[in-house]
Amino acid sequence: MRMSKTHCRRVAATAVALLALPGALHGCSSPTAPPPPPGGGGQLVLSFDQFEQTVEPILVRQGCDATGDCHGGGIRGSLELSPPGAKDVRFDFDQVVLQVFSTQRDRSPILTEPLALAAGGTPHGFKPFASTSDADYQSILTWIMSGVLQ
């Protein structure tokens, strides 16, 4: 039995449509048109002035900006600070802001890494804060909590 050209075209068109159907059902998109990024969330805006007055002096006093194996000697972990001989407070601010979570602010790495493990801290080579009641810890926490989510 011989099929007509029209019948062959219909069968071919049906086959192509059936093959394309799973991609359409799964939301397939072409590599040149990626899906838009997820929306929502906000940006935490922190005060530079408050950082300069309260947080930067803590980082300096605790030696976080020291050279060698500390953060002033280049990137150590995910935090880099300007070295003692070439302080750049704006640079330090920008770097420390990256260490602050907009949600669960009290779990931000800038707070948990220098905090003793027994007090809820996370692994870090230097632990200047024995507890969350430490005055320097509280100053950094206050700065973070005063940020505005926009």
Side-chain angles (χ1 to χ4, degrees):
M1 179 169 151
R2 187 163 186 230
M3 291 191 258
S4 70
K5 284 186 178 183
T6 304
H7 181 71
C8 286
R9 286 184 187 145
R10 281 189 200 144
V11 169
T14 302
V16 168
L18 288 174
L19 288 172
L21 185 60
L25 290 176
H26 291 290
C28 184
S29 64
S30 77
T32 57
Q43 179 181 359
L44 183 63
V45 179
L46 296 163
S47 166
F48 173 77
D49 292 337
Q50 188 179 1
F51 173 86
E52 185 175 36
Q53 293 168 12
T54 60
V55 178
E56 181 77 359
I58 294 168
L59 299 174
V60 170
R61 186 172 55 257
Q62 295 292 345
C64 301
D65 64 345
T67 56
D69 286 339
C70 297
H71 300 286
I75 296 176
R76 298 293 183 259
S78 60
L79 176 61
E80 180 180 7
L81 299 171
S82 60
K87 287 312 300 167
D88 182 342
V89 179
R90 177 56 73 174
F91 176 82
D92 291 352
F93 172 78
D94 292 341
Q95 293 297 305
V96 171
V97 165
L98 295 173
Q99 302 298 312
V100 176
F101 296 151
S102 59
T103 61
Q104 294 186 317
R105 297 179 198 185
D106 61 334
R107 300 302 306 154
S108 296
I110 196 66
L111 289 170
T112 62
E113 290 187 9
L115 180 62
L117 294 174
T122 55
H124 185 259
F126 181 57
K127 299 288 188 184
F129 307 141
S131 74
T132 57
S133 62
D134 181 284
D136 287 344
Y137 177 94
Q138 285 296 314
S139 292
I140 296 171
L141 178 62
T142 298
W143 170 67
I144 292 171
M145 298 310 279
S146 68
V148 177
L149 196 57
Q150 294 184 343

